[in-house]
Amino acid sequence: MTEDREPVGYHKKQEKRKAREQRRARLLQGMLCLCMVVVCVGTAVLAVDALSDRKGNKKAGDGMRRSRAVTVGALLEEDIRQTAEVKRPYVEVPEMGALFGIHVQGKGWSNYFADNAYGMAPAGGYITAVRATLHNQPQGMTGTIEYQVNLSGSGWLDWQTDAGEAGNSLGEMPLEAVSMRLTGELAQYYDVIYSVLQNGQWTDWMRNGEEAGKAGVGLRVDGIRVSVARKQEDGTSFAGEIDPSKPMVALTYDDGPSKNSTPRILDTLKANGGRATFFMVGNRAEKNGAVIRQMVEQGCEVANHTYDHTLMTKVDPAELERQLMMTNQVVSNAGGVTPVLMRPCGGATNDAGMGVAGAISMPAILWSIDTLDWKTRDVQATISAVLDHVQDGDIILMHDLYETAADASDVIIPELTARGYQLVTVSELSSYRGGMIPGKSYYKFRP
């Protein structure tokens, strides 16, 4: 009987095989351990992030992007990366506005215009300098408004700020373009939006350092409008904080202000987030400065209805100009901003009178809905005149001299708001519907 013998080198082969298996086992074990580590790290990151969310400490922006990245290759390299893109969280801030003035060649400096109002040279005139500042800047928030102009023959001048002169009020050369911006913390929460009147048309809205107007092509700036608006949560903003995609109407009130009904109307507007335009008689405005200041603080528009409620067609042009200029000054003294619109008493106009309006930079505003509240003194008739006929772009005429107008407004204002109308000033309405120029009449601003 022969003894079975193992092949030569058998033991060496077995030992090598066992060594390979042991190395493979250790390698697999290492891979499993590494994967477990990666899973644990990833789980911990997600848990910390979720806990931060619950505690309200989540970073805003595109958020925390978790990366990726575990690649197991020949060398089992670990590449775990996290990239954080941080965007400042949305913060609700108070309303703020611009105040601005213009220097007109041959006329001098204007009084200040309200946010989103019109600063226009007289028909045939042009602007040689501008100045601007801010109204109701939040306390403790850094920054200001800066602005520069392109002056014909000189090019772009240095940036100015805080009501400093940009341009040349002592010279004859017109502005050709304007640029504006906010600085500091203001720039994080607000946009400055502006447009200029050039070659008979208003330019598109520009913002935050963009150039409004065409420089170097022989065109001058004849008007400017400026608005400071809060940035919404999605980053958008609109001049006057008005959404141009939504319907809007302009409520207007004549013959006031009244110490009783006008404050009531203002309170109703404030409660419903609306604004209106008040065409005031100068001799009544002199007695109601506190009411005018309330209008301005609420963002309503102060406007001109002559000093003595004088019909354009019944006085010579010099007297009409005196009446309009006196009223502008009275209102400016009381509220700090000057009217830019006039309403012809009784709606009566003639060429001479419209020439006067144009010469003092004012468009004439009529109406598309006349409530006849001055005649009927009937609350329900006034309500029906508005609610039964109102359309997007209407200018609605009422008179705040009467308590019945305030009674009707208590119903009209919330109902228009409930129907989805934005209650805006005439200047605001026009700013999204083609704009206005001095010496022209306007009845409505349809989309």
Side-chain angles (χ1 to χ4, degrees):
M1 183 172 170
T2 61
E3 182 180 2
D4 291 334
R5 300 185 66 178
E6 296 173 345
V8 177
Y10 174 80
H11 290 290
K12 291 183 178 180
K13 292 180 179 180
Q14 285 290 87
E15 289 172 358
K16 290 181 180 180
R17 184 168 59 251
K18 288 180 180 179
R20 285 196 302 270
E21 289 174 354
Q22 287 173 354
R23 287 196 300 271
R24 190 176 296 119
R26 286 196 298 270
L27 184 60
L28 180 60
Q29 186 178 18
M31 291 175 62
L32 291 173
C33 290
L34 181 59
C35 290
M36 291 178 65
V37 170
V38 171
V39 170
C40 290
V41 170
T43 302
V45 170
L46 291 172
V48 169
D49 208 19
L51 181 61
S52 296
D53 286 351
R54 288 194 297 271
K55 289 181 178 180
N57 296 324
K58 184 179 179 183
K59 293 182 180 180
D62 294 336
M64 187 77 72
R65 291 202 310 241
R66 287 146 192 95
S67 171
R68 315 175 302 235
V70 178
T71 328
V72 181
L75 299 177
L76 298 176
E77 293 181 351
E78 178 184 3
D79 181 19
I80 303 174
R81 295 177 298 177
Q82 290 184 330
T83 303
E85 293 184 1
V86 180
K87 175 179 162 185
R88 186 171 298 275
Y90 176 72
V91 176
E92 185 70 37
V93 292
E95 284 188 75
M96 182 176 67
L99 292 173
F100 63 101
I102 61 173
H103 186 275
V104 176
Q105 188 274 331
K107 294 286 187 179
W109 281 102
S110 70
N111 293 320
Y112 278 98
F113 303 110
D115 186 273
N116 205 27
Y118 290 76
M120 296 183 289
Y126 58 87
I127 299 173
T128 62
V130 299
R131 56 188 178 189
T133 187
L134 296 172
H135 178 63
N136 286 338
Q137 179 169 344
Q139 187 174 4
M141 187 174 289
T142 64
T144 188
I145 185 171
E146 294 184 339
Y147 45 96
Q148 68 172 171
V149 300
N150 189 298
L151 184 67
S152 182
S154 300
W156 285 100
L157 305 183
D158 292 338
W159 289 92
Q160 300 295 326
T161 186
D162 292 333
E165 177 180 312
N168 185 359
S169 61
L170 300 178
E172 300 291 322
M173 303 306 289
L175 304 188
E176 295 185 355
V178 175
S179 178
M180 295 187 167
R181 66 190 182 192
L182 299 173
T183 63
E185 292 174 332
L186 293 177
Q188 299 168 10
Y189 300 106
Y190 299 86
D191 291 324
V192 57
I193 309 168
Y194 45 96
S195 171
V196 299
L197 177 62
Q198 194 170 65
N199 200 28
Q201 293 185 324
W202 287 94
T203 67
D204 292 337
W205 289 111
M206 299 295 158
R207 63 185 63 222
N208 303 335
E210 296 175 335
E211 296 177 12
K214 295 180 179 179
V217 295
L219 298 177
R220 67 192 191 194
V221 170
D222 298 331
I224 184 172
R225 51 192 181 190
V226 185
S227 180
V228 172
R230 293 173 290 188
K231 295 180 180 179
Q232 302 303 304
E233 192 164 5
D234 62 1
T236 61
S237 64
F238 304 106
E241 302 196 350
I242 299 162
D243 188 341
S245 68
K246 297 179 180 179
M248 58 188 90
V249 295
L251 298 177
T252 67
Y253 296 88
D254 284 12
D255 293 356
S258 162
K259 66 178 182 179
N260 295 319
S261 60
T262 307
R264 285 183 54 198
I265 293 167
L266 288 169
D267 288 344
T268 305
L269 286 166
K270 185 176 182 179
N272 291 274
R275 297 187 282 266
T277 300
F278 292 85
F279 289 93
M280 291 177 281
V281 174
N283 60 26
R284 294 192 179 104
E286 283 182 327
K287 304 171 186 176
N288 291 281
V291 177
I292 295 173
R293 288 188 286 275
Q294 185 180 350
M295 292 175 188
V296 173
E297 286 303 311
Q298 289 185 208
C300 291
E301 184 164 29
V302 294
N304 194 320
H305 202 39
T306 75
Y307 187 83
D308 290 319
H309 198 270
T310 300
L311 269 65
M312 178 184 295
T313 54
K314 299 295 184 180
V315 295
D316 62 49
E319 173 61 14
L320 177 63
E321 181 177 6
R322 187 185 73 85
Q323 295 251 342
L324 292 172
M325 295 297 288
M326 285 177 61
T327 302
N328 279 355
Q329 194 60 56
V330 166
V331 173
S332 180
N333 290 345
V337 294
T338 192
V340 298
L341 308 177
M342 62 87 63
R343 172 165 281 164
C345 297
T349 63
N350 58 21
D351 291 343
M354 292 302 295
V356 169
I360 58 174
S361 309
M362 305 188 89
I365 306 303
L366 299 170
W367 53 84
S368 53
I369 293 180
D370 185 353
T371 62
L372 296 175
D373 59 340
W374 63 273
K375 183 177 182 180
T376 67
R377 312 285 178 91
D378 185 294
V379 174
Q380 189 55 52
T382 301
I383 293 170
S384 297
V386 176
L387 299 183
D388 293 351
H389 303 96
V390 65
Q391 299 180 58
D392 186 7
D394 272 330
I395 299 174
I396 299 166
L397 170 62
M398 291 183 278
H399 295 77
D400 56 325
L401 204 56
Y402 310 111
E403 289 292 320
T404 51
D407 294 337
S409 296
D410 286 342
V411 176
I412 291 168
I413 290 170
E415 177 58 25
L416 289 176
T417 303
R419 292 185 187 184
Y421 288 101
Q422 300 173 99
L423 304 184
V424 300
T425 70
V426 173
S427 286
E428 290 170 338
L429 176 60
S430 71
S431 70
Y432 285 109
R433 305 285 172 82
M436 298 179 286
I437 60 176
K440 301 295 182 182
S441 298
Y442 300 90
Y443 297 80
K444 57 184 178 292
F445 293 94
R446 296 279 185 241

